[in-house]
């Protein structure tokens, strides 16, 4: 009898793509996707260890899964991804009911491990030396998907002082450009309109391997028919070069939104983080992008309460935010991660003080987000339709090239890309009405 798997994904888009690969691999091994945890025979947690909170949530889920497993004989639990890589066998000591533990480089082994677990044997694969064997596994794509993520690299060589990614994802490796291009062509043939290229530092794509550089990769992808939107995450402020910036002028399908994590506005803190740029250099990158595309949208990541961060350092972060006025940002309280340099740093910031700084930063961001959304009112934008609006089933929902969510009343046009007049702005999204298309 066919069995079913429920995959729960934590963390970033890299994990989302890996989960889609796990699903493809397991469907060839006679597992179908379960709609709910309750109906599943196998549950896989694809985990994240970027901050302590992520880790706690996963261990708490594992506690719940012990009872889930006991409720029906034959049920299996597998844990993969970054926390599995980080904790390895120690994870099993904390959660002995886990049948399968697999690391970030061991996804291709999953069907074999599941077979072992079905015979009531535990399975573990944590080796990182074998390169990325799962790159050829085509990620599962839901029927009717208009947007797809494409991993172009894996791992990271930057070793920012706070970050666990290089430890759990390994050194940076770029995927052969020919493989990326054929994946994008296949997606286009299946009706996908938008591709999002993924890597921890996309601007260093191919450098180690002597592959074509990132701008050339963008040019080749832009030549693929039917792909009318190209995005990429994440850019590193140190490595985002002028050639890539100019492409925003040359490639009409390159979306005018750049996610450029600043982390802190203080040069002292940036140096302690080992980020490799100053506030001035960061501002110069933003300026260069605005020169090329005045309508460019910017988003960022921030860490507050990094060891040694003073009130003055923090105010410098707020000042840069006031200057740039990001469209959106993700912000986090510093979390000490095992094996990182920052974990060894003294001068920890008082957790309550860090929490207060985070609130101040998020309030400022909320006001900038509202302001940037309000600036869209009265404009006509193109929207790639992703589905029905959550708040009103009569409305459609999608994103603008600048990555803003729009809920709109559909007209009679149809098709994946619509022209919409923005009639209102909220705290996180826009509302609008469809216009007859000019296209
Ligand atoms: N490669 C991307 C980021 C990956 S992690 C980059 O370089 O920007 C996503 C975000 O999580 C980071 O940008 C950072 O803001 C945050 N983050 C990473 N480690 C963290 C830690 N130890 N504590 C708090 N936030 C952290
Ligand atoms: Fe982590 Fe820095 Fe690499 Fe981003 S660039 S994944 S923050 S080490
Ligand atoms: Fe988390 Fe791993 Fe991504 S630690 S943020 S899932 S690379």
């Amino acid at each position: 009898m066919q069995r079913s798997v429920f995959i729960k994904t934590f963390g970033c888009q890299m994990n989302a793509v890996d989960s889609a690969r796990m699903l493809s691999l397991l469907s060839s091994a006679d597992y179908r996707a379960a709609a709910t945890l309750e109906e599943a025979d196998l549950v896989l947690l694809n985990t994240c260890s970027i901050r302590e909170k992520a880790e706690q949530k996963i261990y708490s889920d594992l506690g719940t899964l012990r009872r889930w497993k006991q409720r029906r004989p034959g049920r299996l639990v597998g844990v993969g991804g970054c926390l599995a890589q980080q904790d390895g066998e120690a994870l099993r000591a904390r959660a002995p009911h886990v049948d399968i533990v697999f690391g970030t480089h061991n996804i291709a082994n999953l069907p074999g491990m599941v077979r072992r677990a079905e015979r009531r044997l535990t399975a573990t694969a944590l080796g990182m030396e074998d390169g990325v064997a799962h790159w050829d596994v085509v990620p599962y794509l839901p029927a009717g998907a208009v947007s797809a993520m494409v991993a172009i690299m894996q791992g990271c060589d930057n070793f920012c002082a706070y970050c666990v990614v290089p430890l759990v994802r390994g050194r940076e490796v770029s995927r052969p450009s020919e493989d990326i291009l054929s994946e994008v062509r296949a997606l286009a043939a299946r009706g996908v309109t938008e591709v999002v290229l993924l890597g921890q530092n996309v601007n260093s794509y191919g450098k180690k391997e002597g592959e074509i550089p990132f701008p050339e990769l963008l040019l080749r992808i832009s030549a693929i028919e039917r792909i009318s939107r190209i995005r990429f995450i994440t850019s590193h402020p140190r490595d985002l070069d002028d050639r890539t910036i100019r492409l925003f002028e040359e490639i009409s399908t390159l979306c005018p939104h750049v996610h450029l994590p600043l982390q802190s506005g203080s040069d002292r803190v940036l140096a302690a983080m080992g980020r490799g740029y100053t506030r001035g250099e960061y501002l110069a990158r933003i300026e260069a992008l605005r020169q090329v595309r005045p309508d460019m949208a910017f988003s960022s990541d921030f860490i507050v309460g990094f060891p040694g961060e003073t009130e003055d350092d923090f105010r410098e972060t707020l000042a840069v935010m006031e200057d740039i006025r990001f469209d959106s940002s993700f912000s986090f309280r510093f979390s000490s991660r095992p094996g990182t340099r920052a974990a060894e740093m003294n001068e920890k910031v008082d957790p309550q003080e860090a929490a207060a700084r985070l609130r101040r930063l998020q309030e400022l961001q909320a006001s900038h987000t509202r302001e940037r959304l309000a600036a869209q009112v009265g404009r006509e934008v193109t929207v790639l339709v992703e589905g029905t609006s959550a708040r009103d089933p009569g409305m459609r929902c999608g994103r603008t090239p600048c990555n803003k969510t729009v809920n709109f009343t559909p007209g009679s046009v149809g098709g994946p890309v619509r022209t919409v007049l923005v009639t209102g702005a909220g705290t996180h999204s826009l509302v609008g009405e469809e216009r007859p298309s000019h296209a």
Side-chain angles (χ1 to χ4, degrees), residues 184-414:
V184 177
R185 279 186 216 109
L187 288 167
R190 290 190 56 185
V192 165
T193 302
E194 174 184 85
V195 289
V196 187
L197 309 178
L198 295 182
Q200 298 298 347
N201 180 359
V202 292
N203 311 106
S204 65
Y205 171 81
K207 288 192 181 150
K208 275 163 88 171
E209 288 78 10
E211 253 295 347
I212 56 170
F214 184 62
E216 180 60 30
L217 181 68
L218 288 176
L219 279 166
R220 293 195 192 173
I221 291 175
S222 72
I224 297 175
E225 245 177 275
R226 290 200 289 267
I227 298 298
S228 64
R229 287 188 175 191
I230 305 170
R231 302 182 187 278
F232 52 83
I233 36 179
T234 301
S235 290
H236 193 293
R238 183 198 56 212
D239 297 325
L240 176 65
D241 58 2
D242 292 336
R243 179 76 194 104
T244 304
I245 292 177
R246 279 199 307 275
L247 288 183
F248 282 97
E249 210 166 23
E250 291 168 31
I251 304 179
S252 61
T253 51
L254 199 53
C255 291
H257 165 233
V258 175
H259 183 64
L260 199 61
L262 171 59
Q263 314 297 1
S264 167
S266 151
D267 284 344
R268 224 174 54 80
V269 174
L270 285 172
M273 287 176 166
R275 288 289 288 175
Y277 55 85
T278 60
R279 174 185 51 184
E281 284 161 350
Y282 183 91
L283 286 166
R285 294 290 77 192
I286 298 278
E287 194 41 46
L289 284 158
R290 280 195 168 139
Q291 287 277 321
V292 169
R293 288 290 301 251
D295 61 338
M296 184 79 78
F298 294 103
S299 56
S300 185
D301 293 346
F302 294 100
I303 297 177
V304 304
F306 186 79
E309 183 191 71
T310 62
E311 171 65 21
D312 282 348
D313 291 319
F314 176 65
R315 284 197 189 153
E316 291 192 49
T317 302
L318 298 183
V320 181
M321 289 174 72
E322 288 280 17
D323 193 352
I324 295 173
R325 306 183 103 74
F326 291 100
D327 292 74
S328 64
S329 68
F330 299 102
S331 46
F332 316 96
R333 217 160 80 172
F334 168 74
S335 169
S336 180
R337 305 315 293 136
T340 62
R341 278 175 289 136
E344 310 297 319
M345 292 178 185
N346 304 319
E347 288 191 88
K348 295 277 185 287
V349 173
D350 170 63
Q352 286 194 338
E353 176 56 31
R357 286 180 194 168
L358 185 63
R359 274 196 303 277
R360 286 159 68 196
L361 187 152
Q362 290 179 341
E363 271 167 30
L364 183 63
Q365 180 58 58
S367 72
H368 293 162
T369 300
R370 277 195 302 272
E371 173 189 300
R372 301 283 291 173
L373 287 168
Q376 299 286 319
V377 177
R379 294 195 188 166
E380 268 191 8
V381 294
T382 56
V383 177
L384 176 63
V385 184
E386 286 165 9
T388 302
S389 160
R391 60 168 98 157
D392 178 350
M395 288 174 95
R396 299 284 172 278
C397 176
R399 277 171 301 127
T400 67
C402 286
N403 214 27
K404 293 186 165 48
T405 299
V406 189
N407 291 291
F408 67 95
T409 318
S412 53
V413 184

